[in-house]
Amino acid sequence: MSILIRGGTVVTASDTYQAEILIQGETIAAIGEHLDADGSEVIDASGCYVFPGGIDPHTHLDMPFGGTVTADDFESGTRAAAFGGTTSIIDFCLTNKGQSLREAISIWHEKAKGKASIDYGFHLMIAEANDQVLEELEYVVAEEGIVSLKVFMAYKNVLQADDETLFKTLVRAKELGALVQVHAENGDVIDYLTKKALAEGNTDPIYHALTRPPEAEGEATGRAAALAAMADSQLYVVHVSCAEAVKRIAEAREKGWQVYGETCPQYLALDIHSLEKPDFEGAKYVWSPPLREQWNQEVLWNALRNGILQTVGSDQCSFNFKGQKELGRGDFTKIPNGGPIIEDRFGVVYSEGVHAGRISLNQFVDIISTKSAKLFGMYPRKGTIAIGSDADLVIFDPGATRTLSAKTHHMNVDYNPFEGMKVHGEVVSVLLRGSYVIREKQFVGEAGAGEFVKRAKFTRP
Ligand code: URP
Ligand code: ZN
Ligand code: ZN
Ligand code: ZN
């Protein structure tokens, strides 16, 4: 089976050029002009960009959280991701204290098996850094190819780990060649502020944001960076939402510390005032960290443009408004945190980034695909368009416009946080390892066709 993509503009993190792409089997066999189409299926990509498939470095599918389970599992979540131009995700495998890492990982493999229509990897949560866990990590990195470890500095009494756990994880990650990720918010301060708000009768969704001040994120980000430096290790800060956190990452990078950062479309395009919507609708906009004052958006875009932040993840963590977000009526602390973004990550960053003139086309590819491949051990198999790379490709029409809506999205959830937003550009077709997943805007993929990606040890990108 071979496919020739003709007429498109090939875009990578470094180059933009007219070329044909020949796919043989699952990989790219040739890139050039006047390639031999003999026996190949020809895709006409005239007027379109050909991008490497999007890589979403941050998803939570089929995850128990906040007293419920996310609305999207690996089937609906990866299908929606494909519609949006994403061909690989890295999902967070949760662990419990006392549980073996092997057991936790096998539970996550079961969730994805037979369901994922795009490729996937796992990050592994570290709940405690005891001798057994630190020992088992050798197997996790070497045998499972799971080379990223997540520590939560927030969600007190639920997921939160202490500094000792984070520091020991950083030290061990350095030994093994893994990248440590942190949810950086000061969970102890937030715990105090939320209890105080509830005691004062402040129960509405907006208090979720008001009890998680930007400095709670800035402080934790700076602390994690300092711990990483003391461990001579590498750190990746997930879902950076505000100037205070950007500043800490910039300071760390200026010192030469290996600190990386990710933001999310919601922080780039939405703000805190959404939490004030009437009739409890503000609950749809509850994320941790929370949406911030609007001026932070340009700080985040600048940080992406200047390389202080490297990636945009969706932090896909969907809950229906009806029956799930509603659990928090009368008590904002019971609103499940998170939202449905996996499908619109690629499109919102293209439209608000490239179309709006904030980032270049090549920066877009870097942010949406290449840097995640490099930081998380998938490059150059994924994250670029090169001979020998997986033929994970997106054919994208930059001239199209569309309106984001729950009525037309493919996520298994009853609202879209970007409802009514006009975006420029549209995904036309998506190939995963040389096979169509989306063909002319129709899903033609297969649950179970997505493969688990064993990733290579961390190297400085
Ligand atoms: O609100 C969020 N971010 N929910 C998902 C879990 C997490 O903290 O990433
Ligand atoms: Zn988080
Ligand atoms: Zn304001
Ligand atoms: Zn998350």
Side-chain angles (χ1 to χ4, degrees):
M1 215 352 234
S2 66
I3 294 176
L4 186 72
I5 302 175
R6 188 170 262 173
T9 302
V10 177
V11 190
T12 67
S14 53
D15 300 296
T16 307
Y17 58 101
Q18 291 285 318
E20 299 173 354
I21 299 172
L22 181 68
I23 301 165
Q24 259 156 11
E26 298 198 338
T27 57
I28 295 170
I31 304 169
E33 288 178 55
H34 313 299
L35 298 180
D36 191 350
D38 244 10
S40 304
E41 178 188 341
V42 176
I43 302 178
D44 179 13
S46 302
C48 289
Y49 293 130
V50 185
F51 292 132
I55 299 176
D56 189 340
H58 188 157
T59 69
H60 305 276
L61 299 175
D62 198 0
M63 186 178 84
F65 193 49
T68 182
V69 179
T70 58
D72 283 285
D73 65 5
F74 277 84
E75 183 159 359
S76 66
T78 58
R79 195 191 321 119
F83 270 108
T86 292
T87 53
S88 299
I89 59 168
I90 314 178
D91 198 79
F92 284 91
C93 170
L94 294 190
T95 59
N96 296 311
K97 286 184 180 167
Q99 184 186 34
S100 87
L101 301 180
R102 281 180 178 77
E103 188 198 344
I105 293 165
S106 78
I107 291 170
W108 237 258
H109 277 303
E110 281 307 309
K111 287 176 188 282
K113 212 165 92 186
K115 291 195 167 175
S117 54
I118 61 172
D119 286 352
Y120 58 95
F122 299 146
H123 308 293
L124 184 69
M125 175 190 162
I126 302 300
E128 59 187 336
N130 60 31
D131 291 346
Q132 189 203 323
V133 165
L134 295 173
E135 171 61 36
E136 228 186 332
L137 278 176
E138 189 169 354
Y139 155 84
V140 169
V141 172
E143 304 299 323
E144 289 282 347
I146 295 177
V147 293
S148 37
L149 310 172
K150 167 78 168 289
V151 177
F152 286 91
M153 301 171 81
Y155 303 123
K156 194 170 168 67
N157 300 324
V158 188
L159 302 173
Q160 186 173 328
D162 56 16
D163 287 353
E164 182 184 357
T165 303
L166 175 54
F167 187 70
K168 285 181 173 171
T169 304
L170 283 159
V171 170
R172 188 68 174 138
K174 171 73 178 183
E175 290 166 2
L176 295 173
L179 178 57
V180 177
Q181 303 170 284
V182 281
H183 172 134
E185 285 186 294
N186 186 316
D188 293 311
V189 169
I190 290 165
D191 183 60
Y192 175 90
L193 294 175
T194 52
K195 283 178 177 152
K196 182 166 177 283
L198 289 180
E200 290 167 357
N202 296 321
T203 61
D204 288 345
I206 185 64
Y207 287 96
H208 171 81
L210 298 178
T211 55
R212 308 183 85 97
E215 201 46 53
E217 185 180 341
E219 183 279 325
T221 302
R223 178 160 37 104
L227 292 173
M230 286 187 275
D232 189 25
S233 190
Q234 46 266 351
L235 180 79
Y236 175 99
V237 184
V238 303
H239 53 40
V240 171
S241 75
C242 62
E244 285 76 359
V246 168
K247 180 166 170 270
R248 296 324 201 284
I249 293 171
E251 285 168 0
R253 291 177 64 81
E254 269 165 32
K255 290 180 182 142
W257 299 352
Q258 290 194 70
V259 177
Y260 307 94
E262 161 203 280
T263 187
C264 309
Q266 50 272 37
Y267 305 119
L268 292 166
L270 300 173
D271 70 57
I272 187 170
H273 296 291
S274 291
L275 283 103
E276 295 164 337
K277 290 196 180 189
D279 303 324
F280 196 62
E281 235 203 294
K284 294 177 180 175
Y285 303 90
V286 165
W287 277 277
S288 297
L291 300 179
R292 305 298 189 183
E293 288 294 344
Q294 195 183 9
W295 60 266
N296 287 277
Q297 293 171 6
E298 288 313 319
V299 176
L300 296 171
W301 282 113
N302 280 336
L304 285 169
R305 187 169 48 244
N306 298 332
I308 295 165
L309 300 178
Q310 290 74 37
T311 64
V312 174
S314 68
D315 196 7
Q316 166 74 18
C317 191
S318 59
F319 300 102
N320 283 299
F321 182 68
K322 289 244 169 321
Q324 294 194 294
K325 288 285 185 180
E326 281 180 333
L327 293 169
R329 270 193 202 273
D331 180 351
F332 70 88
T333 66
K334 297 201 165 64
I335 301 168
N337 292 198
I341 304 285
I342 199 166
E343 185 167 352
D344 297 322
R345 179 188 72 109
F346 193 104
V348 167
V349 175
Y350 176 83
S351 189
E352 290 296 309
V354 180
H355 184 83
R358 292 178 170 115
I359 54 173
S360 75
L361 204 46
N362 307 103
Q363 283 177 321
F364 167 72
V365 172
D366 201 33
I367 288 162
I368 220 72
S369 177
T370 312
K371 269 292 173 5
S372 289
K374 288 181 175 173
L375 286 165
F376 295 111
M378 297 191 281
Y379 191 86
R381 180 180 161 194
K382 297 191 182 291
T384 193
I385 298 177
I387 293 170
S389 294
D390 281 358
D392 297 350
L393 299 167
V394 175
I395 298 170
F396 188 84
D397 177 3
T401 54
R402 63 207 174 89
T403 302
L404 304 182
S405 174
K407 293 191 192 79
T408 48
H409 76 201
H410 303 87
M411 296 176 283
N412 184 34
V413 66
D414 61 5
Y415 75 99
N416 188 311
F418 298 122
E419 187 69 39
M421 181 175 166
K422 292 216 169 20
V423 292
H424 294 263
E426 182 169 38
V427 171
V428 179
S429 294
V430 177
L431 298 164
L432 173 74
R433 285 181 280 103
S435 295
Y436 276 108
V437 187
I438 304 294
R439 184 174 195 146
E440 299 285 335
K441 302 178 212 170
Q442 301 298 315
F443 181 76
V444 295
E446 195 191 321
E451 288 177 0
F452 179 71
V453 181
K454 283 192 182 182
R455 297 179 285 120
K457 289 183 179 183
F458 177 82
T459 52
R460 195 172 194 155

